[in-house]
Amino acid sequence: MIQLPKPEMKGKMSLEEAMSKRASVREYRQRELTQEEIGQILWSAGGQTRPWGGRTVPSAGALYPLEIDLATPEGLFRYLPERHRLQPRATGNLLPKLAAAALHQNFVARAPAVVVISAVYERTKRRYGSRADRYVHMEAGHAAQNIHLEAVALGLGSVAVGAFDDGEVHRILGLGADEKPLYLIPVGEPERRP
Ligand SMILES: Cc1cc2nc3c(=O)[nH]c(=O)nc-3n(C[C@H](O)[C@H](O)[C@H](O)COP(=O)(O)O)c2cc1C
């Protein structure tokens, strides 16, 4: 288990500046993200902010159907929001495989880190039935937007990638039978500001 550094609650950039600067970044400097940057990005995607379990992202019925993984050249990690930790899941660089599964969008392989948002629909379906799919997708959007804005606030950049082969990504990441990948979000220091 990897304990991530405590997330900062004050940044150097206002929310408005981050929103105005956000744009998709697909070219990254070849440097690893620091543990602080990784921790801050994952916290924004679903870190716990309330003693009862409330998070940075709203969730229909507080059922939290999303799972967040991080793929880096070192390996694959699952984010555990309760204690702000990473659970190692695999070693080795899965990014080239993820890029191939993303219809050969090769910038995915060149990013220093890719956040993967997956969902366990059943958690939300149990209570909300046929409305669950839309609720889960709305929540993934909340998480993704937090990542995009947090990235900008940290001087990083990101891009939402929705075009990929679901089955391939599922297999590469070794996701559970009830988990479905929804978004790949490469994050890195921009080669140049868009
Ligand atoms: C649901 C969704 C899926 C997307 N999938 C991809 C993708 O597979 N590859 C990609 O390069 N960009 C993808 N994008 C990013 C869009 O291309 C981008 O947001 C759009 O061109 C607007 O540019 P901007 O983000 O720089 O404002 C996706 C965006 C969304 C919201």
Side-chain angles (χ1 to χ4, degrees):
M1 211 67 83
I2 300 164
Q3 181 64 56
L4 291 163
K6 207 168 174 294
E8 289 288 342
M9 295 302 132
K10 286 223 187 309
K12 296 189 183 79
M13 194 183 284
S14 72
L15 178 60
E16 292 76 12
E17 191 179 346
M19 285 192 282
S20 70
K21 288 190 170 155
R22 189 221 56 86
S24 293
V25 171
R26 300 180 180 83
E27 288 174 60
Y28 315 98
R29 295 228 163 120
Q30 290 309 300
R31 75 150 176 94
E32 286 178 23
L33 298 188
T34 64
Q35 288 289 100
E36 283 75 15
E37 288 169 332
I38 286 171
Q40 201 73 30
I41 291 282
L42 294 174
W43 175 82
S44 79
Q48 190 172 317
T49 52
R50 296 284 179 277
W52 58 265
R55 300 186 184 178
T56 52
V57 169
S59 181
L63 293 169
Y64 301 108
L66 303 183
E67 295 292 339
I68 311 283
D69 288 306
L70 183 80
T72 73
E74 282 70 52
L76 178 68
F77 308 86
R78 166 90 19 129
Y79 180 57
L80 305 177
E82 298 78 17
R83 318 205 47 184
H84 195 53
R85 286 177 175 175
L86 283 180
Q87 179 167 33
R89 297 188 49 222
T91 50
N93 187 359
L94 299 175
L95 298 178
K97 286 182 183 153
L98 278 181
L103 317 182
H104 299 282
Q105 300 188 72
N106 291 329
F107 60 84
V108 173
R110 290 193 295 269
V114 174
V115 180
V116 184
I117 301 178
S118 303
V120 180
Y121 287 85
E122 217 28 64
R123 285 183 201 150
T124 302
K125 243 179 209 145
R126 252 178 260 135
R127 186 176 315 169
Y128 294 111
S130 62
R131 292 191 78 73
D133 285 5
R134 76 164 68 181
Y135 287 173
V136 169
H137 298 159
M138 288 166 174
E139 187 169 332
H142 294 304
Q145 186 70 2
N146 275 9
I147 293 172
H148 297 316
L149 295 176
E150 181 68 68
V152 176
L154 295 173
L156 303 173
S158 61
V159 56
V161 172
F164 53 82
D165 182 308
D166 291 356
E168 279 291 294
V169 170
H170 191 276
R171 188 181 58 76
I172 293 162
L173 298 178
L175 294 174
D178 57 351
E179 295 172 348
K180 198 170 171 197
L182 290 176
Y183 246 155
L184 307 180
I185 307 187
V187 182
E189 188 180 335
E191 186 56 50
R192 49 191 168 70
R193 266 281 151 223

